[in-house]
Amino acid sequence: MRCSNCGEPIEEGRLFCLNCGQEVQWVPDYDSFGDYMVQEKLKKEKEQAEAAAARKRAAIAAENRRRKKAKKKRMILVSVAGVLVLVAAGLFFKLGMDKKNYNDFDYQIRMADTAFSNHKYEESYKFVERAVSLDDSDVDAKLLLAQVQVKLEKTDQAIKTLQDAIRLEPDNQSAYNQLIKIYMENDQPDEVKNLLDSCDNDDILNKFSAYISKNPVFSLPEGSYDEPKTLSLYSKEDEDQIYYTNDGTDPTSSSNLYTDSIALKEGQTIIKAVTVNKKGITSDIVSKTYTIAYEAPDPPQISPSSGSFTTDMDTNIYIIVPKGCRAYYAFDKKPTIADELYQEDQPVKMLKGTHTFYAILVDEHNKVSSPGSAIYKLTEAK
């Protein structure tokens, strides 16, 4: 082959001319046009074969993809069916377990307690209510139910639940504690009193002694007296307050507040008193009846005693008047307070002739004595 630039021969395999440095372009030589056609035919057949092979490979790849997709679809369907079978089995098992648990008291209590601890009160209520329906005699279940009812503001229901618990176990301190707490929080101290009044368990009463108000103490035994009396009332706790009435009605915290002794008036007086402790809980009402019936004074003493007198003798009449009394007098009739009032510094003069002198005493309570009397005969001195 010669260089296309300078014409110098170039050895086969050289990439450039040694004479001028021209780059050599190697092109296969063809001996004839026939050879060229043969080569072109072979080339075309080769390209067609390669295209057919490519198409075959593409078809095979597409078939493989189709088969793989179909296989995947079958696997998905099998998996879904398996899952459905498992779900169905699970549901069947769960339904069986739910049915079993629905009638299992311990399970219901356990679930209720867990829900309550997590502040899921509606959920807890559902479980504990079922537990109580399974065993209405279980006090612990009722105590939990009452706590849930309080959280859900079902106060009336909680009270009834705790009352049932106390009926079942009269010595259950927790039931009393919960119920008293509800009553106090809802401003129902009278219900606390009623609850503890109906309790005959000493341990319970000692436990909740702070909620028991002691009865007031009366300084004077009830009964009849013939002289003025005053009554004092006492409470056993310094912080307690005493309220009373003197008209026979039951006392309340709106009645007379006791601050000083009570003067008992003549006649019958009914004093009723109640103690209210610092928690606002009342004691029992204590009632006592007092009768003040003053006795009339004795008939007055008259001086001189009955006798005959002359005008030259001392003819003055004296009445002995006790302290606190006053005297009235009259001649020849029994006196009243409308007659003459006796003055101690003004003795009464006897009347001439024979006359009966009468006198009465009236004490500070206006009690009138029976009359005293003396008969005097006064004549002229000879």
Side-chain angles (χ1 to χ4, degrees):
M1 182 177 179
R2 292 184 180 278
C3 177
S4 61
N5 184 43
C6 65
E8 287 291 325
I10 300 174
E11 296 178 2
E12 187 176 353
R14 292 268 182 198
L15 300 177
F16 60 89
C17 178
L18 294 177
N19 183 51
C20 68
Q22 175 69 35
E23 182 177 356
V24 177
Q25 298 292 330
W26 290 97
V27 178
D29 293 329
Y30 297 97
D31 293 337
S32 64
F33 180 76
D35 292 337
Y36 174 79
M37 291 300 291
V38 171
Q39 292 294 327
E40 286 295 320
K41 182 180 179 181
L42 292 173
K43 181 179 179 182
K44 185 175 181 180
E45 289 177 351
K46 181 179 180 181
E47 288 176 351
Q48 289 175 348
E50 288 178 351
R55 286 194 298 273
K56 183 177 181 179
R57 288 194 301 272
I60 292 172
E63 178 65 16
N64 289 337
R65 287 195 299 272
R66 185 189 67 75
R67 290 180 178 180
K68 186 180 292 186
K69 186 175 181 180
K71 182 180 180 180
K72 185 177 181 181
K73 185 175 181 180
R74 287 195 302 272
M75 291 180 66
I76 291 173
L77 291 174
V78 170
S79 298
V80 170
V83 169
L84 291 175
V85 170
L86 290 174
V87 169
L91 288 174
F92 181 79
F93 178 77
K94 185 176 185 300
L95 288 173
M97 290 301 296
D98 285 347
K99 184 176 181 181
K100 177 182 177 182
N101 291 333
Y102 187 70
N103 295 307
D104 187 335
F105 174 85
D106 292 336
Y107 173 82
Q108 297 295 328
I109 283 293
R110 187 165 61 252
M111 295 299 292
D113 191 58
T114 300
F116 185 84
S117 299
N118 293 322
H119 309 293
K120 298 178 180 180
Y121 303 123
E122 290 285 357
E123 182 179 336
S124 179
Y125 182 68
K126 178 184 68 174
F127 285 113
V128 72
E129 192 175 41
R130 175 59 183 165
V132 170
S133 70
L134 291 173
D135 187 355
D136 189 54
S137 64
D138 191 286
V139 172
D140 289 337
K142 287 183 178 292
L143 295 182
L144 177 57
L145 174 59
Q147 291 183 63
V148 177
Q149 288 169 332
V150 169
K151 292 295 185 181
L152 296 177
E153 297 183 356
K154 300 177 182 290
T155 304
D156 291 341
Q157 294 181 30
I159 290 173
K160 184 179 183 302
T161 299
L162 291 169
Q163 288 173 340
D164 287 343
I166 291 173
R167 177 180 53 80
L168 292 170
E169 286 187 13
D171 59 347
N172 192 299
Q173 293 187 4
S174 295
Y176 275 93
N177 188 61
Q178 286 190 45
L179 187 51
I180 289 174
K181 183 179 180 181
I182 292 174
Y183 284 145
M184 294 303 293
E185 288 178 349
N186 287 274
D187 194 25
Q188 295 177 291
D190 289 344
E191 294 300 330
V192 177
K193 172 177 168 52
N194 294 336
L195 174 65
L196 295 177
D197 281 349
S198 63
C199 176
D200 56 6
N201 185 296
D202 290 339
D203 291 337
I204 295 294
L205 296 176
N206 289 333
K207 173 72 175 178
F208 299 100
S209 60
Y211 293 90
I212 300 174
S213 186
K214 304 297 189 301
N215 293 344
V217 178
F218 284 56
S219 66
L220 191 66
E222 68 178 350
S224 297
Y225 297 88
D226 59 4
E227 59 183 357
K229 293 292 181 181
T230 57
L231 172 67
S232 296
L233 303 176
Y234 303 95
S235 61
K236 294 184 178 180
E237 301 294 336
D238 292 339
E239 297 182 1
D240 291 352
Q241 292 183 315
I242 299 176
Y243 295 89
Y244 73 94
T245 60
N246 56 8
D247 58 1
T249 59
D250 289 341
T252 67
S253 57
S254 299
S255 302
N256 302 312
L257 175 63
Y258 177 81
T259 57
D260 200 0
S261 57
I262 304 168
L264 298 176
K265 298 179 180 180
E266 183 182 10
Q268 185 182 80
T269 303
I270 299 175
I271 302 294
K272 291 187 176 183
V274 67
T275 301
V276 180
N277 66 14
K278 60 183 179 182
K279 294 183 180 294
I281 299 173
T282 62
S283 69
D284 293 334
I285 295 174
V286 179
S287 177
K288 292 187 182 295
T289 301
Y290 299 95
T291 300
I292 306 298
Y294 301 124
E295 293 185 0
D298 294 333
Q301 297 181 20
I302 301 172
S303 179
S305 57
S306 299
S308 297
F309 297 87
T310 59
T311 54
D312 59 350
M313 299 172 63
D314 182 3
T315 59
N316 289 324
I317 304 172
Y318 301 90
I319 303 173
I320 308 303
V321 182
K323 185 177 180 180
C325 293
R326 58 189 187 277
Y328 296 87
Y329 66 91
F331 285 98
D332 301 322
K333 70 170 188 172
K334 294 179 180 180
T336 67
I337 58 175
D339 287 302
E340 294 290 333
L341 176 64
Y342 177 77
Q343 304 292 334
E344 293 189 22
D345 59 347
Q346 298 178 9
V348 181
K349 295 294 185 179
M350 294 181 187
L351 300 178
K352 290 182 178 180
T354 301
H355 299 278
T356 302
F357 180 80
Y358 292 95
I360 58 173
L361 293 176
V362 180
D363 64 13
E364 57 190 345
H365 306 297
N366 291 321
K367 293 296 182 180
V368 180
S369 70
S370 298
S373 63
I375 300 174
Y376 302 111
K377 181 180 180 181
L378 179 60
T379 59
E380 289 287 341
K382 295 183 180 179

